[in-house]
Amino acid sequence: MENEVQKKRILSGIQPSGDLTLGSYLGAIKNWAALSNDYDCYYMMADMHTITVRQVPAELRRHTMTQLAAYIACGLNPEKNVLFIQSHVPAHAQLGWVLDCYTMFGELTRMTQFKDKSAKNADNINAGLFTYPSLMAADILLYQADLVPVGGDQKQHVEICRDIATRFNGIYGDVFKLPDPYIPKVGARVMSLTSPESKMSKSDKDQNGCVYMLEKPEDILRKFKKAVTDSDACVRYDLAAKPGVSNLMQIYSVTTGESFEEIEREFAGRGYGDFKAAVGESVVEMLRPIQEETNRILTDKAYLQSVYRAGAEQAAKVAYKTLNKVYKKIGFVER
Ligand code: AQP
């Protein structure tokens, strides 16, 4: 007799809104790969979220496929993880609409991402950008996820998801499992190399602040050499007073496994030049095998297609089970 303990379930995703960055890797994908053995994992390319900001269609397709190849190259084995494209499982849009009707206008206006993105896209403050959190709640709740691995910036969206689920469960009984955010201790917020007070983002206009996962080594090294520091000339962790240096220390700590104290000792009495070069080298070495593998996988279109098709099929099975339950609870007539 099989007596397997039910594994906890994980759902997460990244928007194919640009080339993946070091932030996407350290804040998300790297941690996902470490979870595959212990959890039942669902990872998506969140293309539906991506169109809240205007995209070039061919680029969106390219980013989606590259992202899938990168997921696999980073160690997300499609045999052990369900890898799928969000728009291939229409239940996301269907539950998203239902949850829109259980999400309050006031709640959505408090979301920092909405405020940030509407400031950045003042000519396109669309309804989708505003209701992004209820679609994200649908993504998570469809799979009855226990945990949602996200960078620190997405914590607020997991919290509103819990609020929406609690409200819905309060009316209809225990339909949704309440998910918890799962935030890495180091790497949760990789900041821009040129303006370390803002997050490193795929869609950042300032290319020098952003290190891309598939970028050429010489460009990566150049960007780290130019990274903003301070006039203190001392490698010391102090997020408030030394945001640039602290960001570089965080990156170096994840790539080498050294603690902040060890890094401070290693670079004591040495200039920032040495330190920045070392951080750059460590990132290049970390990304080298991932870049080679991503480029190799990208040449095999048939394989990528088989992965996302199988992923959508597996995801849909779980998603529709939840959606059917929701439809029944709210009073929709069964088809
Ligand atoms: N700089 C970052 N540091 C740590 N984690 C990060 N994440 C993104 N950037 C960083 C984490 O990656 C996951 C996917 O995020 P997303 O791409 O779906 O949305 P985002 O947070 O809006 O990412 P970007 O790069 O900033 O995209 P754009 O520029 O399109 O808005 C999330 O878990 C996020 O925390």
Side-chain angles (χ1 to χ4, degrees), residues 25-97:
Y25 180 62
L26 297 182
I29 312 173
K30 182 174 188 280
N31 309 303
W32 300 352
L35 300 167
S36 308
N37 285 328
D38 301 324
Y39 296 90
D40 185 19
C41 301
Y42 290 73
Y43 296 120
M44 60 178 187
M45 277 43 76
D47 57 348
M48 290 166 63
H49 286 282
T50 306
I51 61 163
T52 53
V53 173
R54 204 72 75 224
Q55 304 291 322
V56 176
E59 286 289 283
L60 175 55
R61 257 187 295 276
R62 181 176 71 78
H63 289 140
T64 307
M65 296 304 280
T66 309
Q67 196 171 307
L68 175 60
Y71 279 5
I72 301 169
C74 290
L76 296 179
N77 178 351
E79 305 289 324
K80 288 189 179 169
N81 301 271
V82 180
L83 308 180
F84 67 102
I85 298 171
Q86 184 186 26
S87 62
H88 290 186
V89 184
H92 288 255
Q94 292 167 300
L95 184 61
W97 170 251

